[in-house]
Amino acid sequence: MRNRLMLLYLLLFPIIGVSWSEFRFTFSPVLSMNNMPLMIDDNKATMREFERYLSMPPFAEFSTEMSFPKCELILRFDIRQVPSTFLKTGGKSNLPYTEGYVLPTIDLNFPRVGYLEMNENVLSFSLGRRKIAYGSSFYSFILSESFPYFDHLWINLTTGSIFGDLSYGFYAITSDRSIYNAPRTLIGHTIQILNENVLISVVEQNLVHGAYPDLEDLAPFILHHNTYQKGSNIMGAIRMEMNIGNVLGYGEFTLDDLVTGVESQSHESNPNAFGWLVGGVITLLEGNEFLGPRIMEADYSVRKSSLLRGGGLKLRFEYYHSTTYMYNRKEKEGRFVNPLWIEELGAINGFFGFPYGPDAALGLVSAEYENSTMRLDVTMEYLRKGTIDIDSEYDFPYDENWYGLVTPISHEFMISAQARFLMNQKLVLLARARIHLYESVRFDLSMGFSTSIDF
């Protein structure tokens, strides 16, 4: 009898899955007019250049979505131009075309989105590949959706308390182990109190490098810092958010290293290193969320520890500061970077969290409007960057100006805007503009549309 029931389940599961599934082919051609510099050296691309490549939707994609009650399975195969071709030619379009070749040339590094997600009252988890953001701010020093994607497992347990919902989270993110010829795994755990108006979240994370995680690393109920394991880089953070009427205020403090009195004269001690941010969102008009199809990778991102809600007209103000030696370590594989291996470009360094790295200060202002048929946002960023970066010398004696910014200081000003208009359920108009002022004026204007076929 038991074997018959098992056979019945195996026969019914594909039928149930197909009945709840959706297959979609999407076509999204985009053209660009810009004066961006051409990439000459194949192996010198930066994460900022790669982000520009990903700022356009894929020329085409095939996706399947399986939805069950409180559960979702997504698999998205994006058809994109080879990134080196895009950057060498100035990125005039997202067409998979290379001069001198008759057949399309497609980037085979896919999929960039593929995950299983479940959300229950007590247990929720996400497993797979997608963007992850921590908190309501545009960026975070812990995890930021400015990074293309994270290969991850995130588990969250929630219960009620007199203060609100009490939750415990555990996550693991893996990096490409071929770049340093060694495995690298970011492991973290969070404790959070959440009610309608207040959120308090504490997180500790451990970058395990040069070895695969063991039970001390994977045990979700111990403090990583107290294990003193070799091949571990530990940081902690606290985040607070509060709703006061139509204003959401938030702040984050992330501690990478702290020199105590007994350590200050030691050659083995690392310098003080931390990052902090403060910001707020003012809701001027209430509104509905955009109901258009998911086109970009960011449309599939998951945001943890956040009181922010979509829809309406919002103004955002934020300020970030990362100190001189934030994210850094003597061992290259122990630094808080998450490199990607890109076809024909080699390894590109990006950060798990704040995309501008150490020794930087950023002011950000944005306006965001969203309703059921339209999504618009305009963002202005003013970046001051010191001379220390993640590849700078990291050894005793350290620079006395550990708080930064180390002179000479560079100044960058960036304005970006993007819009989507839902003409009908099968057609979306896309537009994006970006102006970058740094030594010269660079602009990038793109327009296109997206349409899909469901079957």
Side-chain angles (χ1 to χ4, degrees), residues 242-272:
M242 179 176 293
N243 270 321
I244 304 176
N246 66 334
V247 178
L248 171 62
Y250 45 81
E252 179 183 296
F253 178 79
T254 301
L255 181 61
D256 190 358
D257 264 308
L258 178 65
V259 178
T260 64
V262 295
E263 296 175 315
S264 58
Q265 303 302 319
S266 171
H267 288 222
E268 299 298 323
S269 297
N270 297 321
N272 290 311

Side-chain angles (χ1 to χ4, degrees), residues 300-454:
Y300 296 87
S301 68
V302 58
R303 186 170 289 273
K304 301 293 185 180
S305 303
S306 172
L307 288 175
L308 186 65
R309 299 294 178 265
L313 175 62
K314 295 179 171 61
L315 295 180
R316 181 191 297 270
F317 306 89
E318 296 178 350
Y319 185 81
Y320 301 77
H321 185 97
S322 63
T323 61
T324 304
Y325 295 104
M326 182 70 174
Y327 294 145
N328 221 328
R329 279 300 183 275
K330 292 183 176 67
E331 307 88 0
K332 287 186 177 181
E333 65 272 18
R335 297 169 181 174
F336 277 100
V337 295
N338 191 25
L340 291 178
W341 183 267
I342 307 301
E343 184 180 4
E344 295 189 10
L345 296 180
I348 298 179
N349 261 342
F351 295 93
F352 289 101
F354 187 54
Y356 300 112
D359 202 22
L362 176 73
L364 184 149
V365 178
S366 75
E368 306 159 7
Y369 178 72
E370 184 178 11
N371 62 26
S372 58
T373 61
M374 178 189 306
R375 179 186 290 173
L376 302 168
D377 64 74
V378 180
T379 303
M380 294 181 289
E381 298 178 75
Y382 173 50
L383 174 67
R384 294 181 299 137
K385 189 78 172 70
T387 57
I388 305 299
D389 60 30
I390 199 66
D391 294 315
S392 299
E393 183 179 350
Y394 186 85
D395 207 351
F396 190 88
Y398 299 102
D399 195 306
E400 292 182 358
N401 186 16
W402 57 265
Y403 189 77
L405 305 170
V406 178
T407 57
I409 301 171
S410 64
H411 300 261
E412 299 182 45
F413 185 67
M414 296 153 283
I415 304 176
S416 59
Q418 51 189 351
R420 295 190 211 179
F421 301 95
L422 183 63
M423 307 304 293
N424 55 56
Q425 288 301 317
K426 297 297 182 182
L427 179 62
V428 181
L429 300 184
L430 309 170
R432 185 177 184 272
R434 183 175 177 85
I435 300 175
H436 185 193
L437 281 69
Y438 175 61
E439 298 179 347
S440 64
V441 179
R442 300 290 183 181
F443 68 88
D444 187 4
L445 309 174
S446 61
M447 294 186 65
F449 67 90
S450 179
T451 186
S452 61
I453 301 172
D454 297 335

Side-chain angles (χ1 to χ4, degrees), residues 72-354:
E72 179 181 58
L73 174 65
I74 303 292
L75 190 58
R76 183 174 183 254
F77 294 96
D78 45 325
I79 301 172
R80 289 183 178 271
Q81 186 180 31
V82 174
S84 60
T85 301
F86 179 91
L87 297 174
K88 284 180 180 179
T89 59
K92 303 302 182 183
S93 74
N94 66 349
L95 305 180
Y97 166 76
T98 300
E99 186 176 353
Y101 291 87
V102 176
L103 297 176
T105 52
I106 299 172
D107 179 20
L108 297 179
N109 285 339
F110 60 74
R112 292 183 176 88
V113 174
Y115 63 87
L116 173 65
E117 180 181 27
M118 185 187 76
N119 289 290
E120 288 281 358
N121 294 332
V122 175
L123 171 66
S124 63
F125 74 83
S126 175
L127 172 65
R129 172 175 290 185
R130 67 198 298 194
K131 286 176 174 285
I132 300 177
Y134 187 77
S136 298
S137 53
F138 202 87
Y139 303 118
S140 168
F141 288 98
I142 299 299
L143 296 174
S144 173
E145 68 177 0
S146 61
F147 195 81
Y149 56 79
F150 294 117
D151 293 315
H152 71 282
L153 167 65
W154 190 303
I155 302 173
N156 205 71
L157 296 169
T158 303
T159 187
S161 75
I162 59 173
F163 302 104
D165 289 338
L166 173 64
S167 64
Y168 175 84
F170 176 82
Y171 61 89
I173 296 172
T174 61
S175 288
D176 189 335
R177 60 180 175 267
S178 65
I179 293 174
Y180 295 110
N181 294 318
R184 299 172 77 251
T185 309
L186 183 69
I187 298 172
H189 46 217
T190 65
I191 297 177
Q192 176 180 289
I193 290 288
L194 169 67
N195 56 44
E196 291 183 356
N197 297 311
V198 176
L199 181 150
I200 301 174
S201 179
V202 179
V203 58
E204 184 191 43
Q205 62 180 13
N206 174 17
L207 181 60
V208 182
H209 54 89
Y212 289 101
D214 57 23
L215 289 178
E216 282 195 352
D217 301 315
L218 295 172
F221 307 111
I222 65 173
L223 294 178
H224 300 314
H225 185 270
N226 291 333
T227 62
Y228 298 101
Q229 288 273 48
K230 290 184 178 180
S232 287
N233 190 357
I234 315 294
M235 69 163 51
I238 183 169
R239 185 178 187 95
M240 300 182 67
E241 301 189 5
M242 179 176 293
N243 270 321
I244 304 176
N246 66 334
V247 178
L248 171 62
Y250 45 81
E252 179 183 296
F253 178 79
T254 301
L255 181 61
D256 190 358
D257 264 308
L258 178 65
V259 178
T260 64
V262 295
E263 296 175 315
S264 58
Q265 303 302 319
S266 171
H267 288 222
E268 299 298 323
S269 297
N270 297 321
N272 290 311
F274 56 82
W276 59 270
L277 70 89
V278 62
V281 174
I282 303 173
T283 301
L284 301 179
L285 292 174
E286 298 288 345
N288 299 320
E289 294 188 17
F290 183 62
L291 298 179
R294 293 184 284 190
I295 301 170
M296 307 294 293
E297 283 84 355
D299 298 332
Y300 296 87
S301 68
V302 58
R303 186 170 289 273
K304 301 293 185 180
S305 303
S306 172
L307 288 175
L308 186 65
R309 299 294 178 265
L313 175 62
K314 295 179 171 61
L315 295 180
R316 181 191 297 270
F317 306 89
E318 296 178 350
Y319 185 81
Y320 301 77
H321 185 97
S322 63
T323 61
T324 304
Y325 295 104
M326 182 70 174
Y327 294 145
N328 221 328
R329 279 300 183 275
K330 292 183 176 67
E331 307 88 0
K332 287 186 177 181
E333 65 272 18
R335 297 169 181 174
F336 277 100
V337 295
N338 191 25
L340 291 178
W341 183 267
I342 307 301
E343 184 180 4
E344 295 189 10
L345 296 180
I348 298 179
N349 261 342
F351 295 93
F352 289 101
F354 187 54

